[in-house]
Amino acid sequence: MSTPQTASAQRSAHHWFRPRIVDALQGYNRQRFSQDVGAGLTVGVVALPLAMAFAIASGLKPEAGLFTAIIAGLIVSLLGGSRVQIAGPAGAFIVIVYGIVERYGLANLIIATAMSGVILFAMGFFRLGTLIRFIPVSVVIGFTNGIAVLVAVSQVKDFLGLRITSMPGDFFGILSSLRAGLPTLNGVATLLAVTSLGLIVLWQFGMPRLGTRWPWARRLALVPGAVVVLVLATLCVAALQLPVETIGSRFGGIPSALPTLQWPDFSWASARFLFIPAMTLALLGAIESLLCARVADGMVDDRHNPNQELMAQGVANFVVPFFGGMPATGTIARTVTNVKSGANSPIAGVVHAATLLLVVLVAAPLARNIPLAAMAAILMFVAWNMGEWREFWHLRQYRLPYRVTLLAVFFLTVVFDLTVAVEVGLVAACITFIYRISSLSRCETVVLADVPGLADRPGVDQQMAAYRLYGALFFGAVKLVEDVQDALPARVLVLDLKNVIYIDSSGADALHDLARSCRKHGVRLLVCGLMHQPLDIARRSGLVTLVGEDALFAGLTSGLAAAEECLPPLPSPGA
């Protein structure tokens, strides 16, 4: 039985471009609007420190994260395929964006982000949204945990208050720079960061428990720990004039004005060498966004439209970089906060964007005193929550290919980069999948001695042979047909393909070779049980023409009866 939400999702799935807000606003009333406003205000406050922290960690100015949360959050809420998803800068992009800025420069980050937007829109337009679900879990967990490690390591500099002019983007380069910068450790910054991280942990895990006893603690638990730390740390720095680096000392503050259009110099040469980074951004954005949407579906009993969501993400990522932003995707932490705060439509996402815009226009000067040590503590906590660390402990429950794939992607993400890790992970997963599917395909010999009419024939095993094939006859399983071809009988070969569910071009080619070999050696080939896709490709590839329509039989029994007629007659009893 479908719910109104899933029914609207099914309606939107039948249109090539139908934002979810169109269906979500049907029957909209004042009560739902007040819930959305409350949720939007809450998630806007939550997004404030995270947006700035992600931008700073990516090597950008803090306003880049805010502009991204505002513009992308608004566009995805208006055009997306989920009722409650919140889009904005994400921790998963930190490593990639930092690497692009370091290697190609800020102007090329704009081009790469816009290219990723085009790729995302094309993925949604051509209905590739459901294919993202086929990316193996081992690959997703591997690169997610690897990114979490890199995010945490990249924040050690500000966490300890080290004076390092330029941080490299690779793992070992970061470790080398941190080791060289240890003599510049700032004790005040380190104490502030440790205190901030401890307060976040206590607030996030302690307040809900206190809320079971005291109502005031239950209300305070609704305020995210990151916001509490941001406010308290900023007040401490401003009041005590602590000697720590702040947003104002490094970036000069946040402009209290709307972003202006930025148009970089574009050339096809730039687009060519930026294609791989852009593809990485698009693939990671698609994975993060659709995983987030699936989490939200489970919380609100809904079903998102993945293709519509990808097109919305594409539009957002194409627009955002030209207004000083960075790559954006669906964010699980903010989406979960949105749902728990009572959101029931994309209007909550619109309110979230408006809240951040109001903060930029009104309260931007207050951001000058935000200490970077506190921002680093917030990102340390985000990195810990981002990783699925229990999966390492559970690895012993899985088979060797799963363990190898997950660990390979994890270490390659940390040591090399995400692009190499995902490529190797997907190749490893594909090889594993091919091996598993090919192992499920098998060939069984039919025991002719058990077939009525053939049991009493002398030398029947030399004159004819019959085989049952199971599974998929694809390029990874053609050896089954080759083995049959290497052991041809003298007169008749019967193949039962009733249990073959799929034949690809390589499988069809192998059957062609078998049929030609049978013709060359004077062996009659009879094929039984061809149905559905196997029958279709047999006709299209010319296999039916090669063996003849009279060599096709509905089942093995009729095929064996026809094979018996091809054998020499039995000698008469008196001979």
Side-chain angles (χ1 to χ4, degrees), residues 198-214 216-218 220-221:
L199 181 58
I200 293 175
V201 174
L202 288 175
W203 191 276
Q204 293 296 117
F205 297 105
M207 276 298 172
R209 294 181 180 179
L210 292 177
T212 59
R213 296 183 179 182
W214 297 290
W216 60 268
R218 190 183 306 118
L220 281 178

Side-chain angles (χ1 to χ4, degrees), residues 131-171:
L131 294 182
I132 301 299
R133 299 179 182 178
F134 294 114
I135 295 178
V137 175
S138 57
V139 174
V140 175
I141 294 175
F143 76 67
T144 301
N145 287 6
I147 290 172
V149 170
L150 289 174
V151 170
V153 171
S154 69
Q155 295 309 299
V156 173
K157 169 182 172 286
D158 290 331
F159 194 90
L160 301 179
L162 305 181
R163 296 178 184 176
I164 301 175
T165 305
S166 178
M167 284 286 287
D170 62 291
F171 179 71

Side-chain angles (χ1 to χ4, degrees), residues 202-492:
L202 288 175
W203 191 276
Q204 293 296 117
F205 297 105
M207 276 298 172
R209 294 181 180 179
L210 292 177
T212 59
R213 296 183 179 182
W214 297 290
W216 60 268
R218 190 183 306 118
R219 289 191 293 269
L220 281 178
L222 299 176
V223 181
V227 176
V228 176
V229 164
L230 189 72
V231 172
L232 293 180
T234 303
L235 291 176
C236 287
V237 170
L240 303 177
Q241 294 296 304
L242 298 179
V244 297
E245 197 170 15
T246 65
I247 286 179
S249 64
R250 182 181 293 184
F251 303 104
I254 298 176
S256 55
L258 296 176
T260 57
L261 179 65
Q262 304 176 19
W263 194 261
D265 294 331
F266 177 81
S267 66
W268 286 112
S270 299
R272 192 164 56 250
F273 66 73
L274 287 173
F275 178 75
I276 295 300
M279 181 61 73
T280 304
L281 288 172
L283 183 61
L284 182 58
I287 294 171
E288 289 286 317
S289 177
L290 297 186
L291 283 177
C292 177
R294 290 180 67 182
V295 171
D297 286 351
M299 296 180 70
V300 298
D301 191 23
D302 194 20
R303 186 179 304 160
H304 71 284
N305 183 342
N307 299 309
Q308 182 65 40
E309 187 64 29
L310 288 182
M311 287 190 284
Q313 297 285 345
V315 173
N317 279 282
F318 184 80
V319 173
V320 160
F322 297 112
F323 291 92
M326 59 185 290
T329 186
T331 57
I332 293 180
R334 276 157 275 177
T335 299
V336 170
T337 302
N338 192 38
V339 173
K340 289 184 176 180
S341 300
N344 57 74
S345 82
I347 295 297
V350 175
V351 175
H352 139 266
T355 301
L356 289 172
L357 177 61
L358 185 64
V359 170
V360 169
L361 295 178
V362 176
L366 301 177
R368 292 184 58 86
N369 291 319
I370 295 177
L372 297 182
M375 301 292 277
I378 292 172
L379 279 182
M380 287 281 193
F381 186 73
V382 169
W384 175 257
N385 282 334
M386 182 191 303
E388 298 186 42
W389 312 111
R390 291 188 180 90
E391 293 300 322
F392 287 132
W393 177 256
H394 294 156
L395 278 178
R396 55 185 179 175
Q397 302 176 5
Y398 296 98
R399 293 178 178 269
L400 181 62
Y402 180 93
R403 283 182 271 176
V404 170
T405 301
L406 191 153
L407 292 175
V409 173
F410 172 75
F411 285 114
L412 287 172
T413 301
V414 174
V415 176
F416 291 96
D417 60 54
L418 183 64
T419 304
V420 174
V422 172
E423 288 173 354
V424 172
L426 289 178
V427 169
C430 288
I431 293 174
T432 302
F433 177 76
I434 292 168
Y435 172 76
R436 290 279 178 82
I437 296 299
S438 63
S439 66
L440 294 176
S441 302
R442 68 185 193 276
C443 178
E444 293 182 355
T445 302
V446 177
V447 181
L448 299 179
D450 297 336
V451 179
L454 297 177
D456 299 331
R457 279 185 172 272
V460 67
D461 290 329
Q462 288 74 39
Q463 295 178 357
M464 70 173 288
Y467 300 94
R468 290 190 184 94
L469 271 68
Y470 296 83
L473 188 55
F474 69 114
F475 62 89
V478 293
K479 192 176 185 303
L480 298 176
V481 180
E482 294 172 352
D483 290 342
V484 171
Q485 185 176 340
D486 292 339
L488 290 178
R491 290 181 176 273
V492 189

Side-chain angles (χ1 to χ4, degrees), residues 10 29 46 72 75 83 110 125 139 195 206 261 337 348 359 384 391 394 543 562 568 570:
Q10 292 168 357
N29 53 41
V46 172
I75 292 175
R83 278 199 303 133
I110 297 175
F125 182 82
V139 174
T195 305
L261 179 65
T337 302
V359 170
W384 175 257
E391 293 300 322
H394 294 156
L543 178 64
L570 289 171

